[in-house]
């Protein structure tokens, strides 16, 4: 009877959980975007060399990579809420360390802070799976994309308030480029408090209760990392989903992270760089509901194919832009669209392809792989731009999509009726 009552109240519960996730995504997106807009510029200023500026992106994605599996373990045993709160608080601490590193002019300390700061994006990434916990199977794409979309508001606003954030620390002995991280720390704390107080009942624990999942040692073993890896090995669609999310994210991070440096080479100031990054972030998040709808209606494989096409076209636009700021902006916008298509379709396919008890572990594995790959991409991006140029970076980014395209074609052929 209790289970029947919970099922009857499920539509209202979905709406309430989604509302909390949307609000926290707005705050999380704001915190991330305020800092990330000038992370490469701050790294260049503190390190004194452009070749090391790509390490800012590497450090930012290293945080989510390092936190992904502990976060998945925590969520698997205790639910989404404690994991999201922890990620936001680590992000706030990291932002504070970034400011300290900038003040004392310590590049290692700055990088350490950026690793922690990146944990804020762990919360935003994990929230998309929290949205899918209670969604109907044929609406998972839309559930994921709605929460991803919510990041638009904060993420687009963030780069445009980077300048006021920098000005707000004038006279405090804090470099202007570090001012956005002061604001980011406060925003992350507010997001953590909101999730701790309002994300109740926990969506993952509720989904397990409704599915009749058992508790105990056997259940815990089924939710382990080992069980998650076994589920991926047994599903070709899960492997395609992992490659899709990782390749889309790595290509996007590699190109995006060095675009501010490329723009500055052609005379762009902080305000113009902020506008270009805002357009890119709008592409990432604003159209995600469209990608979710397409993923549910046309199928995951069709939208994965769309992601390959958009990301490749973006690399072509940005890589051949030269001094044309408008073409660079267009390329970054399309890059965001391609990332959205890959993330939404890949995340939905991953959730579809593994058993309920293994999902938290597999989702954590997905975030670990995507952020680890993007970290390597960010590190390599700075070296490629320093030695060969921004155009070559875009070519390399497009080549990263080849395995994703090959697996998608293979999956489509397998599903074609004989």
């Amino acid at each position: 009877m209790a289970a029947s009552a919970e099922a009857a109240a499920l539509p209202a519960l979905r709406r309430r959980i989604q509302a909390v996730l949307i609000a926290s995504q707005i705050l999380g997106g704001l915190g991330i975007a305020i800092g990330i807009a000038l992370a490469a510029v701050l790294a260049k200023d503190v390190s004194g060399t452009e070749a090391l500026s790509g390490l800012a992106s590497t450090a930012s994605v290293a945080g989510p990579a390092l936190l992904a599996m502990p976060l998945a373990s925590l969520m698997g045993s205790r639910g989404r809420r404690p994991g999201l709160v922890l990620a936001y608080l680590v992000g706030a601490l990291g932002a504070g360390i970034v400011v300290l590193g900038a003040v004392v002019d310590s590049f290692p300390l700055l990088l350490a802070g950026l690793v922690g700061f990146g944990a804020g994006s762990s919360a935003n990434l994990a929230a998309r799976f929290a949205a899918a916990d209670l969604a109907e199977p044929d609406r998972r794409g839309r559930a994921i994309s709605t929460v991803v979309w919510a990041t638009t508001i904060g993420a687009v606003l963030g780069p445009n308030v980077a300048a006021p954030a920098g000005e707000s620390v004038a006279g405090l002995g804090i470099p202007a480029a570090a001012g956005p991280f002061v604001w980011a720390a406060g925003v992350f704390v507010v997001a953590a408090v909101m999730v701790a107080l309002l994300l109740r009942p926990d969506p993952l624990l509720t989904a397990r209760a409704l599915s009749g999942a058992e508790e105990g040692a056997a259940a815990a073993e089924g939710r382990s990392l080992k069980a998650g890896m076994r589920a991926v090995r047994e599903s070709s669609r899960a492997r395609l989903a992992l490659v899709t999310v990782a390749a889309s994210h790595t290509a996007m991070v590699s190109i995006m992270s060095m675009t501010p440096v490329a723009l500055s080479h052609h005379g762009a100031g902080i305000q113009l760089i902020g506008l270009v990054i805002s357009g890119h972030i709008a592409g990432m998040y604003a159209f995600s509901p469209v990608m979710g709808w397409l993923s549910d209606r046309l199928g995951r494989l069709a939208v994965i194919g769309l992601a390959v096409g958009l990301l490749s076209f973006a690399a072509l636009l940005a890589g051949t832009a030269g001094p044309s700021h408008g073409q660079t902006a267009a390329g970054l916008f399309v890059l965001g669209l391609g990332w959205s298509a890959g993330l939404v379709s890949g995340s939905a396919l991953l959730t579809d392809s593994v058993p309920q008890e293994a999902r938290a572990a597999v989702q954590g594995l997905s975030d670990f792989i995507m952020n680890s790959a993007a970290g390597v991409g960010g590190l390599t991006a700075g070296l490629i731009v320093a030695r060969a140029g921004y155009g070559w970076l875009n070519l390399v980014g497009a080549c990263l999509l080849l395995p994703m395209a090959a697996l998608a074609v293979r999956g489509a052929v397998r599903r074609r009726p004989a």
Side-chain angles (χ1 to χ4, degrees):
M1 180 70 84
S4 299
E6 287 183 6
L10 195 53
L13 178 59
R14 285 192 186 109
R15 290 192 295 271
R16 186 159 61 80
I17 293 295
Q18 189 173 72
V20 176
L21 291 172
I22 286 172
S24 66
Q25 285 291 93
I26 292 172
L27 290 173
L30 176 61
I32 294 163
I34 290 175
I36 205 67
L38 294 180
V41 175
L42 182 60
K44 179 184 175 183
D45 291 344
V46 174
S47 68
T49 174
E50 183 177 289
L52 295 179
S53 59
L55 287 175
S57 173
T58 301
S60 295
V61 296
L66 292 172
L67 195 61
M69 297 316 299
L71 207 60
S73 178
L74 177 61
M75 289 182 177
S77 61
R78 300 186 60 186
R80 300 292 185 189
R81 185 174 61 252
L84 294 176
V85 170
L86 175 64
Y88 280 131
L89 292 179
V90 173
L93 176 62
I97 295 174
V98 168
V99 175
L100 179 61
V103 170
V104 302
D105 203 30
S106 169
F107 189 60
L109 191 60
L110 177 75
L111 291 181
L114 286 170
V115 171
F117 172 75
S121 64
S122 290
N124 274 35
L125 289 171
R128 76 192 192 277
F129 291 124
D133 286 334
L134 295 174
E136 302 99 319
D138 62 349
R139 295 185 64 87
R140 281 187 184 131
R142 277 166 281 190
I144 291 170
S145 65
T146 298
V147 172
V148 172
W149 168 85
T151 314
T152 308
I153 300 172
V156 173
L157 180 62
N160 290 294
V161 300
E167 294 169 1
S168 71
V169 299
L172 299 178
I174 299 174
F181 289 93
V182 177
W183 287 28
V187 170
F188 282 152
V189 170
V190 173
V193 172
M194 175 183 293
V195 169
L197 294 178
L198 301 179
L199 194 66
R200 299 172 183 273
D202 189 281
L204 179 59
L205 300 184
T206 302
R208 286 178 181 165
L210 290 171
S211 68
E214 297 180 359
E215 297 299 330
E221 174 61 24
R223 297 166 190 162
S224 67
L225 175 60
K226 182 179 179 180
M229 295 178 70
R230 183 171 59 249
V232 171
R233 286 197 303 270
E234 294 172 352
S235 172
S236 61
R237 287 167 65 82
R239 293 194 295 274
L240 169 59
L242 287 177
V243 171
T244 296
V245 172
S248 300
H249 193 60
T250 303
M252 183 278 290
V253 168
S254 300
I255 295 171
M256 180 274 293
S257 65
M258 295 310 297
T259 299
V261 175
L263 286 169
S264 67
H265 280 166
H266 296 291
I270 290 179
Q271 185 174 10
L272 178 57
I273 291 172
L275 288 172
V276 171
I277 297 301
S278 288
H280 166 66
I281 294 173
M284 289 174 64
Y285 299 117
F287 295 90
S288 58
V290 177
M291 303 304 177
W293 182 83
L294 290 173
S295 180
D296 288 338
R297 292 297 297 272
L298 302 181
R300 318 304 190 205
L301 293 180
V303 181
I304 289 173
L306 176 62
V308 172
L310 288 171
L311 290 167
S312 300
F313 184 50
L316 176 64
L317 282 175
T320 60
S324 173
H325 296 154
Q327 185 173 330
T328 301
L332 265 287
F333 175 74
V334 177
L335 184 72
L337 289 178
W339 176 87
S340 179
L343 184 77
V344 170
S345 59
S347 299
L349 181 62
L350 186 66
T351 304
D352 294 341
S353 304
V354 297
Q356 202 280 338
E357 64 271 13
R359 282 176 188 164
V362 172
Q363 290 160 352
L365 179 64
S366 171
D367 283 351
F368 170 75
I369 292 173
M370 69 181 280
N371 285 298
S372 297
V376 174
L379 172 61
T380 307
L383 298 175
I384 292 174
V385 170
R387 294 178 178 273
Y390 182 66
W392 280 97
L393 171 63
N394 281 270
L395 177 60
V396 171
C399 290
L400 293 175
L401 305 172
L402 293 175
M404 171 179 160
L407 287 175
V409 170
R410 183 181 179 185
V413 169
R414 283 182 172 180
R415 288 173 60 84
R416 185 179 299 167

